Amino acid sequence: MPFPDEVVSPLAVVDYRPQWPLEFAQSARQFRAAMSGVPVDIDHVGSTSMPGLAAKDCIDVQIRVPSIDEARDVALLSAVGFRCRPEPWNRTEVSGGIACRKLVFAPPVGARPCNVHLRESTGPNARYALLFRDYLRADEPARRAWGAFKQRLAASVPDLFDYGQIKATATEILMTAAERWATDTTWTVPPPQTPTASA
């Protein structure tokens, strides 16, 4: 169940907004400070990380840590207002047939919508998020087709849960192409992004 302050509104996939990378950079600095003392890599992932791609207006942040320590990590992010999601799907996700540890956090009450995905650095789920991003950044026809698909889906399936279920199946098909691209280009997990001083 969502938190009480999370308003259920009609699902909207909007055109790309240039401020999204700047908003990510601001968030990344906040998370780096909050996780002080813990080695972290902070990545802008999800659809808002891909220039030109239509997306829900919700920033996806991936925080990669050497290992998840739930008590430590929840305490550190709670100290700056982020709330560990209570839904049953939190704490584990399957990627490449492997069950991976994770934690997902919601923003403070009234803050900008975002999803904060805490994953272990060597986990296949962390790799999956980065490969999805980098493949669509590199392949313009695939990126355009993915954006158009999401806009059509949001228009016809306004319920967020149903939208997510349908999109998840389509994502698996897209990731087959992404894995071929990774092999062809010898793609590897990239180094973390550094927030710019101007952002």
Side-chain angles (χ1 to χ4, degrees):
M1 295 293 293
F3 289 107
D5 61 287
E6 294 178 313
V7 178
V8 177
S9 56
L11 177 63
V13 173
V14 301
D15 290 338
Y16 179 79
R17 296 179 178 174
Q19 70 265 28
W20 285 336
L22 303 178
E23 291 172 328
F24 160 75
Q26 292 169 350
S27 297
R29 286 194 294 272
Q30 179 185 19
F31 292 127
R32 198 169 297 284
M35 301 291 286
S36 178
V38 180
V40 297
D41 294 328
I42 303 176
D43 312 297
H44 190 185
V45 295
S47 294
T48 63
S49 70
M50 304 169 208
L53 182 63
K56 298 190 300 294
D57 186 24
C58 180
I59 304 294
D60 282 290
V61 178
Q62 175 171 265
I63 301 176
R64 289 182 276 158
V65 294
S67 64
I68 290 175
D69 179 330
E70 184 170 340
R72 175 200 67 195
D73 300 332
V74 170
L76 290 172
L77 290 173
S78 294
V80 292
F82 283 81
R83 299 166 290 172
C84 191
R85 296 221 62 99
E87 289 87 350
W89 48 257
N90 203 357
R91 294 178 172 76
T92 305
E93 65 187 343
V94 177
S95 183
I98 299 171
C100 306
R101 297 188 68 195
K102 71 161 186 176
L103 293 171
V104 182
F105 293 82
V109 175
R112 196 233 186 280
C114 66
N115 295 311
V116 182
H117 308 266
L118 189 77
R119 296 180 171 120
E120 295 184 339
S121 300
T122 58
N125 51 344
R127 176 188 179 275
Y128 184 102
L130 294 167
L131 175 57
F132 176 81
R133 180 196 70 187
D134 289 357
Y135 169 62
L136 286 179
R137 280 181 174 177
D139 192 313
E140 184 180 355
R143 185 171 65 247
R144 284 200 311 267
W146 186 246
F149 161 73
K150 291 199 307 172
Q151 287 179 314
R152 289 193 306 271
L153 181 60
S156 59
V157 184
D159 179 79
L160 182 60
F161 178 80
D162 292 340
Y163 170 90
Q165 292 292 102
I166 296 168
K167 192 180 78 165
T169 301
T171 302
E172 292 305 314
I173 297 169
L174 182 142
M175 290 303 290
T176 300
E179 289 290 358
R180 285 197 302 267
W181 172 82
T183 299
D184 292 344
T185 61
T186 64
W187 176 89
T188 58
V189 171
Q193 298 166 281
T194 302
T196 61
S198 62

